[in-house]
């Protein structure tokens, strides 16, 4: 039986129980309660209280929130697709990685990159974790919006919880399915022709970005064209129709090397701008061709996009932390169904504090471990963290690290006394959890 060809564009938790010590981590309870269910912990548990507190917030479902407005606007562009936005973030590693053919040694599987509840349960790192499941339920056209979780650095454009939207469409791999694609391609082409938009394209198949041997060239061409036209019209809808670009706009493509050979060819939308320089946006959407086992005898595409990055551009929101703000000065600026320019309230002064320490010789400290600890201690009061020095003692061979932490609240001025208290707590927990020696 043929497999589908898919072109892919791309509750506060309570703690109870007896604690035990885990190497390189804080004291971990024997179990966690998440969304009303109890999960046993084990030696790889690395999810933190700060991350667990985000799970029930579901920003993409809050009525006036920019992410919800963006979600509903994209959904309105695909009215005949199923709109899914309530799937649990708790998945198995098999679902998150193996069903999507991630190699066993892929870095995304590492505890330094992903959040694990235990060996058998993790927080999804992408919406694709549900792709096989949704196709398996018989959905042929769908959009899926969800919060996803990745251990990450701390700065104005990265956050360990963010929101993705995945879209997919499959049709029968026979004459009727090909005719459906051809008719839709004609419709979308006419729509874009009537719109004053310049599209700078790149070939979606090339020697460095080839189609897979098992793909029928005619099928691959129709699918790739349908995907491009669909996303072109979406970008036009969001950035010219809603975002306010000048009438004539420019949409550029860039080449993208496939991550996996089974997902070639790959595509990336690079930027969208007014040709007269009235506005410019750098927006990326990537696409890849891959096999999808549960959809036999069908062909199709899928795309993925990050809602925060697009919303930051459309709303002129300068810091990704603001999406999590409960300050009325932020929330009151937004109306459901409307894109408005964010008006910054006073930017409060920053306070830099350096922290320097010797690491133990028998224990490695990953930068994401350090950033997670900073988030647990100071939450969103930290604007960014930067390693400014590393040093290996020539005689003892001990390693010294120095990080600069920029404290800046989005809502109020921080006193030096308050920041020093956070710094003291961070140093104490570093000594306690990672056995460092503060310098």
């Amino acid at each position: 039986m043929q497999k589908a060809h898919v072109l892919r564009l791309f509750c506060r938790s309570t703690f109870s129980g007896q604690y035990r010590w885990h190497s390189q981590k804080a004291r971990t309870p024997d179990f966690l309660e998440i969304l009303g269910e109890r999960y046993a912990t084990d030696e790889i548990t690395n999810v933190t209280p700060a991350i667990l507190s985000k799970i029930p917030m579901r920003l993409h479902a809050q009525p006036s929130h920019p992410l919800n407005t963006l979600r509903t606007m994209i959904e309105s562009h695909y009215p005949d697709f199923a709109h899914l936005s309530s799937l649990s973030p708790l998945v198995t590693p098999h679902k998150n990685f193996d069903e999507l053919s991630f190699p066993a040694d892929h870095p995304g599987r590492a505890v330094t990159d992903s959040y694990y509840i235990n060996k058998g349960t993790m927080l999804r790192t992408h919406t694709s974790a549900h792709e096989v499941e949704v196709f398996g339920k018989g959905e042929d056209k769908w959009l899926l919006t969800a919060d996803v979780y990745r251990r990450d650095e701390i700065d104005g454009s990265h956050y360990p919880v963010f929101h993705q939207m995945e879209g997919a469409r499959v049709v029968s791999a026979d004459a009727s399915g090909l005719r459906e694609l051809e008719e839709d391609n004609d419709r979308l082409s006419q729509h874009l022709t009537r719109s004053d938009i310049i599209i700078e394209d790149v070939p979606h198949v090339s020697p460095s970005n080839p189609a897979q041997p098992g793909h029928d060239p005619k099928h691959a061409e129709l699918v790739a064209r349908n995907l491009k036209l669909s996303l072109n019209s979406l970008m036009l809808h969001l950035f010219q129709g809603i975002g306010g670009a000048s009438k004539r706009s420019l949409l550029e493509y860039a080449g993208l090397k496939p991550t996996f050979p089974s997902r070639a060819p790959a595509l990336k939308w690079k930027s969208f701008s007014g040709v007269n320089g009235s506005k410019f946006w750098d927006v990326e959407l990537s696409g890849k061709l891959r096999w999808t086992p549960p959809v036999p005898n069908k062909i199709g595409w899928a795309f993925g996009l990050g809602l925060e990055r697009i919303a930051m551009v459309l709303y002129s929101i300068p810091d990704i932390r603001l999406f999590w703000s409960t300050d009325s000065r932020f929330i009151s600026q937004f109306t459901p169904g409307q894109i408005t320019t964010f008006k910054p309230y006073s930017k409060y002064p920053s306070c830099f504090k350096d922290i320097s320490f010797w690491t133990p010789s028998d224990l490695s400290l990953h930068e994401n471990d350090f950033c997670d600890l900073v988030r647990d201690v100071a939450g969103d009061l930290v604007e960014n963290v930067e390693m400014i020095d590393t040093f290996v003692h020539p005689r003892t061979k001990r390693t010294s690290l120095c990080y600069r932490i920029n404290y800046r609240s989005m809502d109020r001025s921080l006193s030096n006394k308050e920041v020093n208290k956070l710094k003291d707590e961070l140093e104490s927990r570093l000594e306690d959890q990672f056995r460092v020696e503060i310098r």
Side-chain angles (χ1 to χ4, degrees), residues 76-103:
S76 72
H77 191 68
Y78 296 94
D80 56 341
F81 281 45
H83 300 155
L84 312 172
S85 59
S86 300
L87 280 72
S88 172
L90 297 162
V91 298
T92 64
H94 178 80
K95 194 182 194 72
N96 197 77
F97 298 118
D98 298 320
E99 287 186 346
L100 300 169
S101 303
F102 276 69

Side-chain angles (χ1 to χ4, degrees), residues 229-244:
L229 291 170
S230 177
L231 269 295
N232 288 346
S233 63
L234 174 62
M235 292 296 100
L236 182 70
H237 172 64
L238 290 177
F239 288 93
Q240 189 181 82
I242 297 172

